[in-house]
Amino acid sequence: MESRLSTTPFGRRSLTLAHVASQVIAKTRPLEKAVHKWNIFRAICTAKNALGVPERALAVLDALLSFHPETVLTGEGLVVFPSNHQLGLRAHGMPMATLRRHLAALVDAGLIVRRDSPNGKRYARKGRSGEIEFAFGFDLAPLVVRSEEFEALAAEVEAEARALRLVRERITICRRDIVKMIATGIEEGVPTQAAGQGPADWAEIHQLYRGIMARIPRSPTRRALEPVADELSLLADEILNLLETHIKSQNMSGNESQNERHIQNSNPDSPVDLEPRFPESRGGGLEIVPEPKRVPDGSFPLGMVLDACPDLIDYSKGGIANWRDFLATVAVVRPMLGISPSAWEEAIGVMDDVQASIVVAAILQRGEAITSAGGYLRELTRKAQAAEFSLGPMLMALIGSRRREKKRA
């Protein structure tokens, strides 16, 4: 007499159409089809989000596969029948309630099919020859039938991850190029307007850059990042065009001046100026940043400050190795943020130059959250004068925010 495979689950568990669909899929498995169980398991792990399978359920599936004696899943005998105690041990000591919940998740996802016995126990019956004639437990047949589906989903997930990685790299390169080109434009006094067109100054270009960066969500996807990468690429190209145009105009002016000097010097009556001249100051250049007299008592380590405000490093020439580099980089950033000289003088009058520079770095790190950098600096200066402001909580809040963002990513 032939044994009948169960269709409905034992006990209070209800039957759903999804369960019936999984059983139909299991029946369509060709007996000659064979798949490597660990290759399929890796594909399912990669596509777990698309399949709606939690990570701990994958640990249960791993344990179930380990109870199948063969590496290749094929033919008959794909039902495994471990007890909950044995299964829990192989699932790294998972509690029984958690184990049952994740087994149900695997069944609902169509990865396994329940083959419950009349009393709900899992076991196998053997024939006179000692071979298993039928078994009650979990059928692994859906893994064989849907193997191509799992592999295709895994390939899509991997392709999407690669595309996201590439667009992140593109944004990183554009960010680095833009901030360094803006710093060069300020240092060299490169004009930003041509024939009355274009942005008013480098501070406006920097604000435009910060506005683009502010649109990056906390948990960015490829679709959200691609428009940002396109805008940053266009902005980088425009800034590079400004610098190249300035270089060409400087070269032309230099050639004209050289020709003029050649004509003047060809006159034997004109005296030759042998006295060297001091180089002329360039408009819009950086102020000379003195070495801080000393790091104030109770100040924070430079490494901690850079951990809280890493965006400042993008504006440095060759990195920030000491406080002098830090102050020089802040001097580049201040005009970009629109901080007036008077607001800066008030800040260093109340705080020392290092602490005031740390505040500016923190303002830069907070980005578009601060609408008026100069007004915010004046407010913090007023609070510092009244002993109502301390750098410690600000830096720790920035560090905590960055760590939370890393966890979300």
Side-chain angles (χ1 to χ4, degrees), residues 107-127:
V107 173
D108 293 340
L111 301 182
I112 58 176
V113 174
R114 288 185 186 274
R115 303 296 185 189
D116 285 349
S117 66
N119 61 2
K121 301 294 183 180
R122 301 181 200 127
Y123 58 88
R125 292 199 182 277
K126 297 182 180 180

Side-chain angles (χ1 to χ4, degrees), residues 376-395:
Y376 190 71
L377 179 62
R378 289 182 187 274
E379 177 65 16
L380 293 184
T381 301
R382 183 189 63 78
K383 290 184 177 181
Q385 191 170 18
E388 298 175 355
F389 168 70
S390 176
L391 279 173
M394 173 183 281
L395 293 177

Side-chain angles (χ1 to χ4, degrees), residues 14-245:
S14 60
L15 179 69
T16 66
L17 290 179
H19 298 165
V20 176
S22 297
Q23 295 174 13
V24 171
I25 290 174
K27 291 179 181 179
T28 63
R29 174 180 59 87
L31 294 180
E32 67 277 4
K33 185 176 180 182
V35 299
H36 193 294
K37 65 179 182 181
W38 299 122
N39 288 345
I40 294 302
F41 178 71
R42 282 191 289 270
I44 292 172
C45 289
T46 302
K48 63 180 183 297
N49 292 333
L51 294 170
V53 182
E55 289 185 4
R56 297 198 71 185
L58 294 176
V60 177
L61 180 60
D62 183 22
L64 282 173
L65 288 173
S66 70
F67 282 101
H68 191 276
E70 304 295 333
T71 303
V72 176
L73 303 179
T74 186
E76 300 287 353
L78 294 182
V79 177
V80 292
F81 41 89
S83 66
N84 279 353
H85 176 70
Q86 291 174 322
L87 192 56
L89 289 177
R90 291 203 187 180
H92 312 293
M94 185 176 292
M96 292 298 103
T98 306
L99 178 66
R100 287 191 287 269
R101 185 171 68 252
H102 290 310
L103 282 171
L106 293 174
V107 173
D108 293 340
L111 301 182
I112 58 176
V113 174
R114 288 185 186 274
R115 303 296 185 189
D116 285 349
S117 66
N119 61 2
K121 301 294 183 180
R122 301 181 200 127
Y123 58 88
R125 292 199 182 277
K126 297 182 180 180
R128 293 182 178 179
S129 61
E131 294 182 355
I132 296 177
E133 291 184 345
F134 60 91
F136 296 102
F138 296 104
D139 193 348
L140 304 177
L143 301 181
V144 179
V145 178
R146 300 176 62 187
S147 59
E148 290 85 359
E149 176 190 348
F150 299 145
E151 290 171 349
L153 283 175
E156 290 178 5
V157 170
E158 290 174 348
E160 182 68 18
R162 182 177 182 275
L164 178 61
R165 187 167 58 253
L166 290 176
V167 73
R168 283 179 178 271
E169 291 175 355
R170 183 182 172 198
I171 289 176
T172 299
I173 292 174
C174 287
R175 286 186 60 186
R176 184 182 64 204
D177 289 347
I178 288 172
V179 296
K180 288 188 180 295
M181 286 192 294
I182 290 176
T184 299
I186 293 177
E187 290 181 6
E188 301 294 335
V190 177
T192 59
Q193 287 184 322
Q197 299 179 354
D201 52 27
W202 287 107
E204 184 176 330
I205 296 177
H206 185 251
Q207 289 297 324
L208 178 61
Y209 159 72
R210 294 180 69 194
I212 296 173
M213 292 299 300
R215 295 204 301 274
I216 297 180
R218 289 184 177 272
S219 300
T221 62
R222 177 181 59 84
R223 292 185 178 180
L225 290 181
E226 282 181 344
V228 174
D230 292 338
E231 291 188 45
L232 288 176
S233 296
L234 290 174
L235 181 60
D237 292 340
E238 292 178 3
I239 297 174
L240 181 60
N241 184 54
L242 286 173
L243 299 180
E244 290 177 347
T245 302

Side-chain angles (χ1 to χ4, degrees), residues 391-409:
L391 279 173
M394 173 183 281
L395 293 177
M396 295 307 298
L398 289 172
I399 293 174
S401 176
R402 291 189 60 242
R403 290 177 178 172
R404 288 191 295 271
E405 289 178 2
K406 286 182 179 179
K407 288 182 179 180
R408 293 191 190 98

